[in-house]
């Protein structure tokens, strides 16, 4: 593999990736990629879909896509399962989710192999981030299932006792993206079923493998058939039919802002509840008193995680003028040490992008930026069969330029200088997005101001990327509405009902006279 760094430095070519065992997708899901009512079955669309290993270009699984009939069958299975599952006690649902966490932990390597195979992400990321994060999410919701509480009783009117019930809403139809297929499946499925709902999930048709494994693990854990269903189909056919289905009462979508608008348009036709986790363009604000080494390491890690295919990834570094040149120089140098290679090698830091088409899209942003900005390092693709793109640092781009304003979704970090604190925070807020951000400083007052004034659903201080199951994830502005993870996610998946009891036993109440008769 040619490892030209893109800045004139070259290292000797490396051999092609050695043959290694991969997750046996074609054998594992020979019965089909639709999981409906507790069993695998083929799709009925008449169209086939390849799952391609983006590191090699090899087809690792080929299946028939879901069509509207498959969506109908999955929704019917979820609807049939709803009375029993919603009627289970919180303790019973909690026990089932605890068992699911155990199953996922026991099968962790299988999940990691499948995730890296279909996404191209380094297996160390799958093993140490995606899979353990999913296990932890499952354990969290197992506990949270027992704490679905409303406000305690009170006599707010004086004559009545009021309390609030939280009830499951019914069949949820969710759509998950291709960048974190396992974690996004869990983020959709877990709060929905912990609250007593049933679900039909449509994963991205290019990355269905770990969603199918998750559904099978749910069955192994004793979760009843029909509670978790998977339809692997295209967005135009299966996705839009699911969102518009009259028996689906809520849709949760994670993906681009453009597609999110389409999902909202379809969902509102039948007055569905909508949860949208959309695009991001996270700012990374470095004040002049920051620990420069920490900021540089944080920027490289946060911009390159999952090959930059992360809606919370650091994409815009704003660095106060005294640190700007040193930050650019040191970040570029550290990026050049990142090892590109076979995702299944323990030494690989950066895997391919999801497809050659997406790699070319990312490259297009960088090529157009050459006309108005400085490509400090990277800016090209290694010469191999995979969909790889080198870590890329762009400096001196105008604030209104494409690479600053648009979501690139690749291993590209843009660095811009700022002078005053006011300017730095204003620039951080100057995109349509508001999903995540970070601020870097040793000054508690500066960081406190950043947490208050940066408009994003998550603001990290002196770090960027870590997430935890107990805390919510969701955005401001064009980054969507609603929350994943945490107990706050139950706001999306439960119906709040006010129950009010009369305490007076009086037949002729005083307020009746406002409607008929006299006092």
């Amino acid at each position: 593999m040619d490892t030209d760094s893109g800045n004139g430095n070259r290292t000797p070519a490396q051999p092609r990736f050695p043959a290694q065992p991969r997750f046996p997708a074609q054998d594992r899901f020979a019965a089909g990629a639709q999981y409906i009512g507790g069993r695998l079955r083929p799709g009925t669309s008449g169209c086939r879909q390849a799952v391609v290993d983006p590191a090699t270009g090899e087809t690792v699984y080929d299946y028939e896509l879901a069509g509207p009939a498959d969506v109908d069958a999955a929704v019917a299975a979820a609807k049939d399962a709803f009375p029993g599952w919603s009627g289970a006690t919180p303790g019973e649902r909690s026990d089932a989710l605890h068992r699911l966490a155990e199953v996922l932990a026991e099968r962790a390597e299988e999940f990691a192999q499948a995730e890296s195979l279909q996404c191209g992400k380094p297996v160390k990321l799958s093993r140490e981030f995606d899979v353990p994060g999913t296990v932890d999410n499952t354990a969290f919701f197992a506990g949270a299932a027992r704490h679905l509480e409303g406000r305690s009783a009170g006599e707010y009117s004086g004559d009545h006792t009021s309390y609030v019930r939280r009830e499951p809403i019914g069949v949820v139809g969710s759509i998950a993206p291709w960048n974190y297929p396992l974690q996004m499946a869990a983020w959709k499925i877990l709060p929905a079923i912990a609250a007593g709902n049933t679900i039909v999930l449509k994963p991205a048709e290019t990355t269905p493998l770990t969603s199918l494994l998750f559904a099978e693990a749910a069955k192994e854990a004793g979760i009843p058939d029909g509670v978790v269903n998977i339809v692997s189909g295209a967005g135009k056919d299966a996705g839009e039919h699911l969102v518009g289905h009259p028996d689906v009462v809520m849709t949760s979508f994670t993906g681009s802002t453009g597609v999110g608008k389409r999902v909202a348009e379809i969902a509102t036709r039948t007055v569905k509840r909508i949860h949208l986790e959309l695009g991001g363009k996270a700012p990374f604000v470095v004040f002049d008193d920051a620990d420069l080494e920490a900021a540089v390491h944080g920027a490289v890690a946060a911009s390159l995680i999952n090959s930059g295919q992360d809606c919370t990834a650091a994409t815009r570094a704003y660095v106060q003028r005294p640190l700007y040149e040193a930050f650019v120089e040191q970040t570029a140098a550290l990026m050049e040490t990142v090892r590109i290679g076979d995702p299944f090698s323990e030494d690989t830091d950066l895997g391919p992008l999801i497809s050659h088409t997406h790699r070319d899209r990312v490259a297009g942003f960088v090529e157009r930026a050459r006309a108005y900005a400085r490509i400090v390092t990277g800016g090209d693709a290694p010469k191999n069969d995979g969909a790889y793109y080198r870590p890329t640092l762009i400096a001196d781009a105008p604030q209104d330029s494409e690479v600053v304003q648009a979501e690139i979704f690749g291993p590209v970090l843009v660095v811009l200088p700022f002078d005053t604190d006011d300017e730095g925070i204003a620039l951080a807020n100057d995109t349509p997005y508001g999903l995540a951000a970070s601020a870097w400083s040793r000054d508690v007052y500066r960081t406190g101001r950043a947490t208050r004034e940066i408009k994003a659903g998550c603001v990290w201080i002196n770090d960027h990327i870590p997430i935890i199951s107990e805390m919510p994830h969701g955005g401001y502005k064009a980054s969507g509405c609603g929350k994943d993870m945490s107990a706050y996610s139950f706001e999306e998946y439960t119906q709040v009902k006010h129950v009010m009891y009369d305490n007076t036993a009086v037949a002729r109440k005083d307020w009746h006279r406002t409607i008929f008769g006299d006092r």
Side-chain angles (χ1 to χ4, degrees), residues 106-287:
E106 290 166 0
R107 296 173 58 182
E109 182 61 19
E110 180 185 25
F111 277 88
Q113 292 273 332
E115 192 77 337
S116 289
L117 180 66
Q118 66 182 353
C119 298
K121 65 181 66 188
V123 73
K124 68 178 182 180
L125 181 66
S126 295
R127 285 178 180 150
E128 298 177 33
F129 183 74
D130 298 66
V131 175
T134 300
V135 173
D136 187 70
N137 284 173
T138 308
F140 170 79
F141 280 107
R146 302 187 81 132
H147 296 281
L148 272 169
E149 299 171 349
R151 184 174 294 176
S152 59
E155 285 68 50
Y156 298 99
S157 78
D159 291 337
H160 305 81
T161 296
S162 289
Y163 69 90
V164 171
R165 291 175 55 88
R166 281 192 178 274
E167 297 179 349
I169 57 177
V171 177
V172 177
S174 293
I175 299 176
W178 49 258
N179 58 331
Y180 288 102
L182 175 59
Q183 289 206 81
M184 295 298 100
W187 287 14
K188 303 300 183 194
I189 292 169
L190 292 170
I193 68 172
N197 303 292
T198 56
I199 188 168
V200 178
L201 174 75
K202 192 201 87 64
E205 62 269 30
T206 55
T207 55
L209 303 182
T210 44
S211 296
L212 295 169
L213 287 176
F214 192 94
E216 289 188 331
K219 182 181 179 74
E220 185 178 342
I223 294 173
D225 292 347
V227 173
V228 177
N229 305 274
I230 309 294
V231 289
S232 305
K236 274 289 185 183
D237 298 323
E240 293 198 0
H241 191 65
L242 177 63
V243 172
H245 200 289
D247 289 332
V248 169
V249 298
M250 172 193 165
T251 188
S252 176
F253 170 80
T254 296
S256 71
T257 298
V259 178
K261 291 177 180 178
R262 175 64 177 162
V263 168
E265 176 189 343
I266 296 169
T268 53
R269 294 173 188 167
T270 49
V271 199
K272 287 178 173 41
R273 185 176 297 189
I274 306 171
H275 167 223
L276 302 173
E277 197 266 90
L278 307 177
K281 190 70 178 175
F284 186 101
V285 183
V286 182
F287 294 101

